Amino acid sequence: MCDIEGQGHLAAAAIAIVRHDGSIWAQSSSFPQFKPDDITGIMNDFAEPGHLAPTGLQLGGTKYMVIQGEPGAVIRGKKGSGGITIKKTGQVLVFGIYEEPVTPGQCNMVIERLGDYLIDQGL
């Protein structure tokens, strides 16, 4: 899912409805099974940027260190040589999880562009 100019692809991707219920619109087969608390924590960080910084971002049993993002719009996390990017639109959260050889910048570009496209479509 989401090939990046011959460099590889995202390890997992999904679009989840932001109605706090965690419903999935689409996902790759490798996307982690997450808990409702994972989505609640992410939504709290979008509402109050910095909320996840002290504890880290949890998704499907994996903990990511929260790094710079765009308050209220993008959350970025890092774990070893991989990481996660989450873009919030009006109705959905767009997730991208990457591993080497994909770089953080490549993942950010794919996920944020997809999120911007969905925003332009009213989603």
Side-chain angles (χ1 to χ4, degrees):
M1 182 178 237
C2 299
D3 283 334
I4 302 172
E5 299 176 16
Q7 299 282 325
H9 60 278
L10 299 180
I15 301 172
I17 297 174
V18 176
R19 294 190 180 112
H20 298 243
D21 65 2
S23 298
I24 298 292
W25 276 6
Q27 71 179 26
S28 64
S29 61
S30 59
F31 194 76
Q33 183 69 36
F34 57 84
K35 300 174 184 161
D37 288 350
D38 296 344
I39 300 300
T40 299
I42 291 166
M43 291 302 295
N44 286 343
D45 196 78
F46 280 120
E48 299 174 34
H51 173 79
L52 291 175
T55 60
L57 184 155
Q58 294 280 343
L59 186 69
T62 301
K63 183 178 179 177
Y64 297 90
M65 178 180 65
V66 177
I67 56 177
Q68 97 292 354
E70 297 173 28
V74 177
I75 298 171
R76 297 183 185 111
K78 186 88 173 126
K79 179 174 175 57
S81 61
I84 188 168
T85 303
I86 307 168
K87 170 80 174 186
K88 181 177 182 259
T89 75
Q91 295 183 29
V92 301
L93 297 176
V94 182
F95 294 82
I97 299 171
Y98 65 93
E99 303 283 342
E100 284 187 326
V102 175
T103 67
Q106 290 170 320
C107 181
N108 296 343
M109 181 180 65
V110 169
I111 296 305
E112 292 175 38
R113 283 185 180 173
L114 177 55
D116 290 342
Y117 171 79
L118 293 173
I119 289 168
D120 290 345
Q121 302 307 306
L123 299 172

